Amino acid sequence: MFCKASLVTLALALLSTAITAHEHAGVAIPFQKRNSLTKADGTFDYVGTVKHGVKIANKYRNNLLNLQRNTGQLPPQVSVIPPLAALPARLAALEHEKRQKVPLTDLNDDEEWGGHITIGTPPVSFFVDFDTGSSDLWIPGSSCMSCGAQHGKYDQGKSSTGAKKNGTFTITYADESGASGPIYTDTVVVGGVKATAQYFSAVTEESSELSEGSTDGILGLAFPAISNLRQNPFFFTAIANKSVEQHVFAFKLAANGSELYVGGTNTAHYSGSIEYHNVSSDIGYWEIGGASVHVDGETVSDIPEFETIIDSGTTIMYGPPADVKTVYDAVKGSKVYNEGDGLYSYPCDSPPALAFSWGGKSWTVSEANFNLGETEPGSGDCVGALSGMNLGLGSEVWLLGDSFMKNVYTAFSVSQNAVGFATLK
Ligand SMILES: *[C@@H]1O[C@H](CO)[C@@H](O)[C@H](O)[C@H]1NC(C)=O
Ligand SMILES: *[C@@H]1O[C@H](CO)[C@@H](O)[C@H](O)[C@H]1NC(C)=O
Ligand SMILES: *[C@@H]1O[C@H](CO)[C@@H](O)[C@H](O)[C@H]1NC(C)=O
Ligand SMILES: *[C@@H]1O[C@H](CO)[C@@H](O)[C@H](O)[C@H]1NC(C)=O
C-alpha cells in the first residue's frame, strides 16, 4: 500500500522523468500498477475481488460483442455471448454500506496505477491504465460532469490537431458501471512514440466507480478485431506511422519500478533471451496456446493443454471453474473459500509453487504474487490469486493477469505475432 506522501512523490517523479530513452530506440514509460486485492490489514478483500471479477467478465463480454460486430464471428467453442455480469445482491448490499460510510477521497484504493500519455496539440497529459486485454483508448472529455474532478479532460476545441468523428463509444463494466461519449482523432504520444490521427473517445458520461478511479482512462493494447471504435489501437497506428523501429512493446510489472517499454524490449530489466510463443487465435487477444499448469513442480495432468490470454488489465488469474478446482485439489491443505465465486484458500505457511509452461521454461508465480491475503486475521489460510470463472471465452481458455505478469518480463510482438516471457533481473 502507498501512503499519501509516497503517492505525491511518485506523481512528481512520473511528471519529471516520464520518459527515459534506452538502447533499441524504444521508450520506457515508468508506471505503477495495481497493488493487490488485499486490504490494509493483510486480509483478503472479498467484495473487491468479486467486483473486479464482474468488471473483467463484462470487459470480455464487450470484447466479444465488438468481435462479433467487427468480424461476424465468435471464437471457436463460444456459441453465445454471456449476459451482463452483476455483483451478487448480498455483496452489492455490503458494498452499498461501505460506500455510505467511507468518505469519497478514501475510495481510491490504489487498485489502478497507470502511466502518462499526452493527447493533442499542445499536448495535454492523461494518466491511463495500459490494458493488453482491450483495444480502445478512452479518457474523460471536457464536458463530462460525471467524470472525477481530479481527472484530466480532453477539449477538442483547444487542440489544433483534433477532429470530431461520427458515432458514439460505449463501454459497460457492470449494470451501473461504464462510460460513453463521442469519438475524436488527435495526436497521441506514449513515451516519445507518436500516433497521429489516433481514434479515441473523450467520454461525457462516466459511472461513479470510474470517476472515483485513480486513472483517467484506459489505453488498449490488444488487436483491432475487438476495437469498439473499429479502428487501429494506438500501437498499430504508431506502427503505421513508422514511429517505432521494433514492433514490440513490453511490460515489467512490479511493486516498484513498473515500466511499459514501447518499440522494443528493455534489456535493463531481464536476463537471457525471450521465450516467444505464437499468438494462437485471430480473435483479437494476446492469446497463446499449449499451456500447462504445475503445482510444486508436478504438472496437473488432469487438465488438457489450454489457451491463455495475457492481460495487463486484469489483476489476478482466472481459469474455467472445473480446472481451477482441479488445481486446488493438488494443493495440500486447500479449502473452498466460496465455490460460487470460484475462490479457494491454502495454508499461508505452506504456499503452493504454482507455475505455467507453454512447452518451454516453467514460469513460477511467487508466493507474494499468489497470496491475496488471509481469509480472516489469524486464520492461517490465505486466498489464492487463481480463481474459477466462466468468462465466455470457451472451456479451454484461461486469463492470466498481473498476478502472473509480475513474475516475468512480458513482450508483446506485433511483428512476430507472439507473446514472450523472460526472466526478470
Ligand atoms: C458523418 O457525419 C456528417 C455530418 O452529419 C456526414 O456528412 C457524414 O457523411 C458522416 N460520415 C460518415 C462516414 O458517416
Ligand atoms: C498515422 O496513421 C494514421 C492512421 O493510419 C493516418 O491517418 C495518419 O495520417 C498517419 N500519420 C502519419 C504521420 O503517417
Ligand atoms: C525502487 O527501485 C529503485 C531502483 O531499482 C530503487 O532505487 C528504489 O529504492 C526502490 N524503491 C523502493 C520504495 O523500494
Ligand atoms: C510461429 O509463426 C511463424 C510465422 O509467423 C512460423 O514461421 C513459426 O513456425 C511458428 N512457430 C511455431 C512454433 O508454430
Side-chain angles (χ1 to χ4, degrees):
M1 296 288 157
F2 292 95
C3 68
K4 298 281 181 226
S6 72
L7 289 184
V8 172
T9 317
L10 172 69
L12 291 175
L14 284 171
L15 283 174
S16 59
T17 61
I19 297 149
T20 325
H22 282 267
E23 61 257 68
H24 304 319
V27 210
I29 301 110
F31 67 104
Q32 207 61 52
K33 270 303 290 183
R34 292 187 175 81
N35 261 354
S36 66
L37 292 164
T38 310
K39 293 195 243 178
D41 67 355
T43 60
F44 172 58
D45 181 358
Y46 177 40
V47 177
T49 301
V50 176
K51 246 175 105 178
H52 182 67
V54 168
K55 187 172 161 186
I56 295 305
N58 288 322
K59 172 169 110 172
Y60 278 87
R61 180 176 181 270
N62 283 311
N63 286 339
L64 281 178
L65 289 166
N66 296 339
L67 178 74
Q68 189 180 49
R69 191 202 55 188
N70 294 352
T71 69
Q73 287 182 342
L74 285 175
Q77 298 187 35
V78 176
S79 49
V80 286
I81 294 179
L84 196 67
L87 196 64
R90 66 199 150 84
L91 298 185
L94 275 178
E95 177 63 15
H96 184 65
E97 206 173 285
K98 182 177 122 196
R99 275 174 174 272
Q100 286 179 323
K101 279 185 196 155
V102 181
L104 203 64
T105 47
D106 283 352
L107 281 173
N108 281 353
D109 51 8
D110 301 344
E111 251 185 50
E112 292 175 350
W113 281 101
H116 286 278
I117 65 167
T118 67
I119 304 181
T121 313
V124 174
S125 181
F126 294 90
F127 198 48
V128 297
D129 191 2
F130 295 109
D131 181 14
T132 63
S134 67
S135 297
D136 296 295
L137 167 61
W138 68 262
I139 38 86
S142 56
S143 67
C144 182
M145 304 308 282
S146 52
C147 298
Q150 78 280 21
H151 289 163
K153 307 261 162 55
Y154 175 77
D155 185 348
Q156 188 235 313
K158 291 190 176 150
S159 174
S160 62
T161 43
K164 169 97 168 55
K165 297 289 164 178
N166 291 350
T168 304
F169 166 84
T170 306
I171 183 123
T172 312
Y173 289 119
D175 271 348
E176 286 172 3
S177 173
S180 66
I183 298 166
Y184 300 93
T185 58
D186 207 334
T187 301
V188 174
V189 181
V190 178
V193 176
K194 189 191 271 192
T196 62
Q198 174 62 48
Y199 275 79
F200 63 96
S201 176
V203 303
T204 47
E205 298 279 347
E206 198 178 81
S207 60
S208 60
E209 196 186 328
L210 294 173
S211 88
E212 288 155 10
S214 40
T215 51
D216 298 331
I218 290 176
L219 186 144
L221 287 163
F223 291 89
I226 52 170
S227 162
N228 184 273
L229 301 171
R230 299 192 202 214
Q231 298 294 338
N232 273 343
F234 164 80
F235 195 64
F236 289 82
T237 310
I239 289 173
N241 288 180
K242 300 191 165 51
S243 296
V244 279
E245 240 169 61
Q246 292 183 39
H247 300 173
V248 179
F249 59 88
F251 280 82
K252 178 196 171 187
L253 291 186
N256 175 33
S258 295
E259 175 188 285
L260 166 64
Y261 196 79
V262 186
T265 58
N266 186 352
T267 49
H269 292 317
Y270 66 94
S271 51
S273 58
I274 300 177
E275 181 189 293
Y276 276 107
H277 297 282
N278 285 353
V279 167
S280 55
S281 87
D282 55 4
I283 60 168
Y285 301 124
W286 289 102
E287 178 174 334
I288 53 177
S292 57
V293 59
H294 312 259
V295 173
D296 299 331
E298 300 277 327
T299 306
V300 182
S301 55
D302 292 341
I303 302 175
E305 276 189 0
F306 53 92
E307 302 274 315
T308 53
I309 294 169
I310 312 300
D311 181 359
S312 64
T314 292
T315 302
I316 61 169
M317 306 175 283
Y318 298 96
D323 290 344
V324 168
K325 182 180 182 304
T326 304
V327 170
Y328 282 101
D329 283 346
V331 173
K332 278 186 222 78
S334 69
K335 292 178 192 162
V336 172
Y337 177 83
N338 184 303
E339 192 151 27
D341 297 321
L343 293 164
Y344 298 81
S345 69
Y346 61 90
C348 306
D349 59 6
S350 59
L354 185 81
F356 292 90
S357 150
W358 288 264
K361 227 180 143 215
S362 233
W363 305 94
T364 302
V365 178
S366 74
E367 177 190 358
N369 292 332
F370 190 61
N371 186 353
L372 291 182
E374 244 181 326
T375 55
E376 283 162 43
S379 72
D381 288 318
C382 288
V383 178
L386 171 65
S387 167
M389 185 159 75
N390 260 317
L391 286 163
L393 296 168
S395 60
E396 282 158 23
V397 184
W398 294 44
L399 183 58
L400 302 186
D402 301 349
S403 299
F404 177 75
M405 287 180 70
K406 281 184 198 164
N407 306 282
V408 292
Y409 190 76
T410 316
F412 297 84
S413 172
V414 171
S415 46
Q416 289 185 64
N417 199 33
V419 180
F421 305 116
T423 305
L424 281 172
K425 260 185 192 163

